[in-house]
């Protein structure tokens, strides 16, 4: 029998190979943009027609190609970027496999014009289904222009398989964003059918992010910057309060190459633990710079997957870097560049702003004896500095054109009319420093409304108080500084067996918090004293019983022992929904909340507040 094995003709081999690299218009966009970047361009234009199914054109002002190179560039495994297998480990360019142009030319009608900077004439090449139709010298600007028309014109099955235009366009813009983010110093424009979608001038990373995601993104960014012997981690993460319910703006770049990596994603998410709820996703744009010999990027033809020699180490560095950034954000939100000029001038700001001003004075002047404030002892040093920072964050909420990440899902709770009439008609005469402060207002004995510069803030009193107490109790447990108010009459409680075990297990810490409870033998305990701030406010027995309940049922294995106790105690001692609060209590609650290290969330992950921007309000009433 005759031999039957033959080599496939090149055109078919290329088509098969193309299937791996070119799946949809977005893949073409990615490859062409990356080639333009690799060519050292300073300006790159992307033109899309019919969601890339009609035309994808990329025009760059990079190095261009010689006539021979122009022809060679369409051969499979033709690349100028690596010469030997060892080069593979020192890759700094985006491309290196030499497959993209060959693949594109196999499945589309391609026209390329290219001219080297030093030459007077350029060359023009037309290729269709891997066949060179025409090649001739031509006039051209320095650089390269690729037009890719009618993608998959020769593979109908593939073409039919493409999704609707909006979906394909979304994929294209995703690819574009990745390239634009990792090359902020390159000037990019994007045109779709006649419309200009992006015009991004050379900028720093922050400005580039704002250019891509809109002005509102500026105030959401926290810089990350950490360097160790083996990696540098830089970029931005989103402020926790702007986390979204859907994934989306999350980017990792390793040596400026966009990658997807579930493991590293997990590292970032775990850095946000406690700051956002489980269903939320923070924004992040993180660049990991590492010695190329320590990674392997050749895992997948589209090069979005990558292996690190020491994945665990990178994971840990990343987590620490993000944690650190988030911590600094709470400690020093002044990093928000817009605000630098007003920082350190809180007094002047307070006088001139007709808005809610967390009254730093109230904590120091009123003392703890004032009625209603017993739940909220005066601010300590740490809290004061947190609070100052928040005054600045309040300032950040200023520009009404920006806000959009804020949840709008509790409109039913708003009875605006009464709250605003009250607060405009009731200035506190005689208290000069408070003249301009807007009074908070309670609605449904559950929420507190307070005007801020850019709109208003709606606070869930219970969630907020739980947060306040949680941080307070944690600090007490750490510093062992709880103060006890001895009871005139001791009380005894009888518990059942399991509860006795629970209370015995946490008794030492509970007493640190300010209780004075003794085990009286068997299942009996004697309460000699309670934390000073609870004295006379609550039924002691109830508090202790609730504490045990909370501890038993709220136990969170992600928290350590003391955090669990602080949380249980906060939940049992906090003011509840349905409890009416007077103005002083509300003001102190607000001050205390924003003096917290993490004011956004209750210790069980509920939101403590939402802000509502004037802009949003105006939109509600548009015709
Ligand atoms: P790779 O990028 O992996 O090397 P490609 O098939 O994408 O493979 O490109 C092949 C070669 O063509 C590149 O190595 C480069 O030398 C050349 N090339 C492609 N696009 C451009 C461009 N826009 N400007 C200059 N040279 C280019
Ligand atoms: Mg390439």
């Amino acid at each position: 029998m005759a031999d039957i094995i033959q080599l496939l003709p090149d055109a078919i081999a290329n088509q098969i190979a193309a299937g791996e690299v070119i799946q949809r218009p977005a893949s073409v966009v990615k490859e062409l943009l990356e080639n333009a970047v690799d060519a050292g361009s300073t300006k790159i234009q992307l033109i899309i027609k019919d969601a890339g199914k009609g035309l994808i054109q990329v025009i760059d002002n990079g190095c261009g190609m010689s006539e021979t190179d122009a022809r060679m560039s369409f051969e499979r495994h033709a690349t100028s970027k690596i010469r030997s297998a060892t080069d593979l480990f020192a890759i700094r360019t985006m491309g290196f496999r030499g497959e993209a142009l060959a693949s594109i030319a196999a499945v589309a009608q391609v026209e390329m014009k290219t001219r080297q900077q030093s030459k007077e004439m350029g060359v023009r090449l037309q290729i269709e289904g891997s066949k060179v139709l025409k090649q001739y010298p031509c006039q051209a600007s320095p650089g390269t222009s690729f037009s890719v028309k009618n993608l998959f014109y020769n593979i109908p099955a593939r073409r039919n398989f493409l999704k609707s235009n909006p979906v394909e366009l979304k994929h294209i813009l995703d690819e574009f964003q990745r390239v634009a983010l990792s090359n902020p110093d390159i000037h990019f424009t994007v045109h779709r059918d006649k419309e200009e979608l992006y015009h991004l001038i050379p900028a720093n990373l922050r400005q580039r992010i704002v250019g891509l995601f809109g002005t509102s993104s500026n105030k959401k960014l926290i810089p990350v910057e950490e360097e160790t012997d083996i990696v540098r981690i830089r970029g931005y993460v989103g402020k926790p309060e702007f986390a979204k319910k859907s994934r989306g703006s999350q980017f990792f770049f390793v040596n400026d190459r966009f990658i997807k990596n579930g493991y590293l994603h997990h590292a970032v998410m775990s850095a946000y633990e406690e700051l956002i709820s489980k269903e939320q996703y923070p924004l992040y744009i993180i660049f990991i710079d590492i010695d190329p010999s320590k990674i392997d990027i050749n895992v997948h033809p589209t090069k979005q997957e990558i292996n690190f020699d020491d994945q665990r180490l990178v994971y840990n560095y990343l987590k620490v870097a993000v944690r650190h950034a988030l911590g600094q954000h709470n400690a020093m939100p002044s990093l928000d560049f817009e605000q630098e000029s007003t920082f350190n001038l809180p007094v002047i700001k307070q006088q001139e702003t007709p808005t809610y001003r967390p009254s730093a004075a109230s904590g120091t002047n009123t003392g703890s004896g004032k009625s209603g404030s017993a739940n909220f002892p005066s601010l300590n040093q740490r809290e004061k500095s947190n609070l100052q920072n928040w005054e600045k964050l309040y300032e950040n909420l200023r520009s009404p054109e920006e806000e959009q990440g804020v949840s709008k899902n509790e409109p039913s709770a708003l009875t605006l009319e009464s709250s605003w009439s009250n607060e405009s008609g009731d200035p506190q005469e005689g208290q000069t420093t408070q003249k301009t402060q807007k009074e908070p207002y309670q609605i449904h004995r559950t929420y507190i409304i307070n005007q801020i510069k850019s709109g208003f803030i709606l606070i869930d009193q219970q969630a907020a108080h739980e947060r306040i107490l949680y941080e307070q109790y944690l600090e007490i447990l750490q510093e062992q500084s709880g103060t006890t108010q001895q009871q005139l009459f001791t009380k005894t409680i009888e518990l059942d067996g399991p509860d006795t075990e629970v209370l015995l297990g946490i008794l030492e810490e509970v007493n640190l918090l300010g209780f004075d409870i003794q085990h009286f033998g068997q299942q009996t305990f004697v309460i000699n004293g309670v934390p000073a701030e609870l004295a006379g406010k609550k039924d002691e027995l109830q508090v202790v019983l609730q504490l045990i309940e909370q501890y038993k049922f709220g136990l969170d294995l992600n928290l350590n022992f003391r955090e669990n106790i602080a949380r249980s105690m906060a939940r049992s001692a906090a003011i509840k929904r349905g409890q009416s609060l007077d103005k002083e209590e509300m003001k102190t609650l607000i001050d205390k909340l924003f003096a917290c290290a993490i004011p956004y969330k209750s210790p069980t992950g509920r939101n403590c507040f939402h802000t509502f921007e004037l802009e949003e309000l105006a939109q509600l009433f548009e015709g």
Side-chain angles (χ1 to χ4, degrees):
M1 195 171 137
D3 297 336
I4 50 169
I5 297 181
Q6 295 177 5
L7 277 176
L8 285 174
D10 262 3
I12 295 179
N14 280 342
Q15 246 188 44
I16 293 170
E20 264 197 286
V21 187
I22 306 298
Q23 285 119 12
R24 53 174 11 125
S27 341
V28 176
V29 169
K30 169 180 190 285
E31 296 297 336
L32 295 184
L33 288 176
E34 289 186 350
N35 280 349
V37 169
D38 284 346
S41 314
T42 57
K43 180 167 188 198
I44 299 173
Q45 295 165 264
L46 171 64
I47 297 162
I48 299 297
K49 293 209 170 120
D50 194 17
K53 298 167 185 170
L55 172 76
I56 298 162
Q57 187 174 12
V58 172
I59 305 168
D60 69 49
N61 65 353
C63 62
M65 283 175 266
S66 72
E67 215 182 312
T68 326
D69 282 354
R71 184 69 180 253
M72 267 298 278
S73 68
F74 288 97
E75 297 293 327
R76 202 134 48 97
H77 307 303
T79 177
S80 57
K81 297 167 195 172
I82 54 173
R83 303 238 168 265
S84 67
T86 50
D87 283 357
L88 257 179
F89 297 99
I91 289 163
R92 287 283 183 192
T93 51
M94 289 296 129
F96 60 86
R97 299 165 57 105
E99 276 179 337
L101 292 188
S103 301
I104 294 169
V107 295
Q109 297 157 340
V110 180
E111 186 177 305
M112 177 176 85
K113 257 198 218 178
T114 184
R115 186 190 131 195
Q116 287 176 307
Q117 308 278 342
S118 57
K119 299 272 165 49
E120 274 179 9
M121 291 290 281
V123 56
R124 182 169 173 169
L125 235 126
Q126 263 177 283
I127 300 193
E128 236 182 79
S130 297
K131 279 200 202 66
V132 180
L133 301 182
K134 276 187 198 153
Q135 175 171 357
Y136 48 90
C138 72
Q139 299 282 341
S141 328
T144 306
S145 159
F146 272 99
S147 300
V148 176
K149 289 187 192 147
N150 302 322
L151 183 65
F152 299 135
Y153 77 102
N154 52 353
I155 316 179
R158 277 238 125 153
R159 194 166 168 93
N160 295 337
F161 175 78
L162 292 178
K163 298 276 189 322
S164 68
N165 280 7
V167 173
E168 294 300 339
L169 187 71
K170 163 95 173 59
H171 284 292
I172 288 175
L173 295 181
D174 281 349
E175 293 293 353
F176 170 73
Q177 282 182 349
R178 295 162 186 170
V179 178
L181 279 173
S182 52
N183 297 283
D185 47 343
I186 296 180
H187 184 162
F188 284 98
T189 61
V190 180
H191 286 85
R192 182 200 49 178
D193 301 317
K194 294 252 156 59
E195 184 194 358
E196 183 173 77
L197 292 184
Y198 289 100
H199 191 118
L200 306 173
I201 55 170
N204 62 29
L205 178 60
R206 183 171 202 130
Q207 292 161 328
R208 177 54 52 96
I209 294 170
V210 171
L212 281 167
F213 301 117
T215 4
S216 64
S217 53
N218 187 27
K219 64 172 177 210
K220 303 177 186 171
L221 304 175
I222 304 170
V224 181
E225 177 73 69
E226 215 78 47
E227 190 159 2
T228 72
D229 299 350
I230 66 155
V231 284
R232 175 168 175 225
I233 293 167
R234 64 193 166 89
Y236 291 91
V237 293
K239 290 179 187 166
E241 65 267 37
F242 294 112
K244 289 202 203 147
K245 282 264 154 65
S246 61
R247 291 183 77 141
S249 307
Q250 305 186 319
F251 300 85
F252 282 122
F253 298 91
V254 172
N255 294 347
D256 289 339
R257 183 188 302 278
F258 172 81
I259 59 145
K260 292 183 179 155
N261 189 313
Y263 190 61
L264 295 186
H265 173 73
H266 188 272
V268 176
M269 293 305 280
S270 66
Y272 272 89
E273 213 164 46
E274 251 209 67
L275 294 179
I276 59 178
S277 66
K278 298 223 158 34
E279 313 83 59
Q280 287 181 306
Y281 294 94
L283 168 153
Y284 61 77
I285 296 154
I286 294 175
F287 290 79
I288 300 170
D289 300 328
I290 188 167
D291 180 347
S293 67
K294 297 225 177 330
I295 50 177
D296 177 10
I297 36 183
N298 200 8
V299 188
H300 191 268
T302 58
K303 296 169 292 214
Q304 282 187 350
E305 278 153 43
I306 161 173
N307 280 342
F308 294 90
D309 286 357
D310 196 342
Q311 187 110 280
R312 283 254 297 281
L313 203 64
V314 178
Y315 179 100
N316 285 328
Y317 280 145
L318 181 60
K319 181 170 170 184
V320 168
V322 175
R323 266 248 169 242
H324 189 194
L326 292 171
Q328 290 228 319
H329 156 60
N330 279 316
M332 13 182 316
S334 62
L335 286 177
D336 250 306
F337 60 41
E338 292 177 311
Q339 306 299 329
E340 243 135 59
S341 55
T342 55
F343 194 46
N344 283 339
L345 297 172
V347 180
I348 293 170
K349 203 173 65 197
Q350 285 168 11
Q351 284 169 348
E352 67 192 11
T353 50
T355 179
Y356 165 68
R357 174 178 57 79
S359 52
S362 75
T364 39
N365 295 347
T366 55
S368 53
K370 203 160 188 304
S371 78
S373 303
N375 260 338
F376 314 111
S378 56
L379 301 180
N380 66 23
Q381 220 30 59
R382 171 188 61 81
E383 292 170 328
K384 274 184 203 150
S385 81
N386 281 343
L387 186 56
Q388 273 203 349
N389 295 327
W390 267 92
E391 293 187 43
K392 286 193 42 52
L393 280 191
Y394 262 46
E395 290 298 299
N396 280 345
L397 296 171
R398 177 164 42 186
S399 45
E401 82 278 7
E402 294 188 348
E403 187 54 32
Q404 45 165 252
V406 176
S407 164
K408 300 168 189 167
N409 49 17
E410 288 180 315
S412 59
L414 302 176
T415 42
L416 285 168
E417 194 193 289
S418 48
S419 75
W420 300 133
S421 63
N422 168 283
E423 57 124 358
S424 58
D426 185 24
Q428 294 230 319
E429 298 294 351
Q431 280 178 274
T432 41
T433 53
Q434 297 205 348
K435 235 182 199 159
T436 56
Q437 180 176 338
K438 302 292 183 186
E439 298 270 324
Y441 191 87
Q442 189 186 31
I443 55 172
H444 295 278
R445 295 184 178 175
T446 297
Y447 302 104
I448 300 169
I449 286 181
N450 202 182
Q451 182 171 331
I452 57 173
K453 202 167 212 168
S454 60
F456 71 94
I457 187 165
L458 185 68
I459 297 169
D460 178 324
Q461 65 186 41
Q462 183 176 340
H465 198 210
E466 285 177 8
R467 165 50 63 182
I468 294 166
L469 292 178
Y470 174 68
E471 293 199 4
Q472 196 173 303
Y473 290 138
L474 262 189
E475 188 163 298
I476 290 174
L477 287 175
Q478 251 140 36
E479 294 176 5
Q480 321 211 330
S481 59
T483 45
T484 308
Q485 176 112 7
Q486 294 297 324
Q487 299 291 90
L488 275 181
F489 305 100
T490 59
K491 297 192 174 164
T492 49
I493 23 174
E494 289 273 344
L495 299 175
D496 62 16
D499 282 0
T500 303
E501 288 308 309
V502 170
L503 186 54
L504 281 176
I506 60 177
L507 193 58
E508 192 182 331
E509 278 71 21
V510 167
N511 281 338
L512 271 180
L513 289 173
F515 282 99
D516 180 355
I517 301 178
Q518 274 179 317
H519 188 205
F520 204 66
Q522 306 282 348
Q523 300 173 5
T524 308
F525 293 82
V526 181
I527 306 175
N528 297 311
V530 297
E533 72 272 12
L534 291 182
K537 297 239 104 190
K538 300 244 180 190
D539 177 343
E540 304 80 10
L541 291 180
Q542 266 323 98
V543 172
V544 173
L545 290 175
Q546 273 183 26
L547 172 63
I548 295 170
E549 286 301 288
Q550 289 292 346
Y551 188 78
K552 273 193 311 197
F553 296 110
L555 206 59
D556 182 339
L557 295 178
N558 288 320
L559 300 181
N560 67 33
F561 181 55
R562 289 187 162 177
E563 287 167 338
N564 268 308
I565 291 175
R567 194 167 84 155
S568 311
M569 180 67 184
R571 296 209 57 178
S572 78
I575 52 169
K576 301 289 184 295
R577 295 192 166 133
Q579 184 169 334
S580 82
L581 300 175
D582 65 27
K583 294 272 186 250
E584 281 311 312
E585 286 174 316
M586 285 189 267
K587 283 184 196 166
T588 323
L589 183 96
I590 295 171
D591 281 0
K592 280 273 179 185
L593 176 63
F594 291 107
C596 283
I598 302 170
Y600 326 103
K601 296 280 174 184
S602 80
T604 50
R606 292 211 328 269
N607 286 326
C608 294
F609 62 92
H610 286 291
T611 51
F612 293 80
E613 303 286 304
L614 286 172
E615 170 100 329
E616 283 174 57
L617 299 179
Q619 273 170 14
L620 288 179
F621 296 99
E622 256 160 30

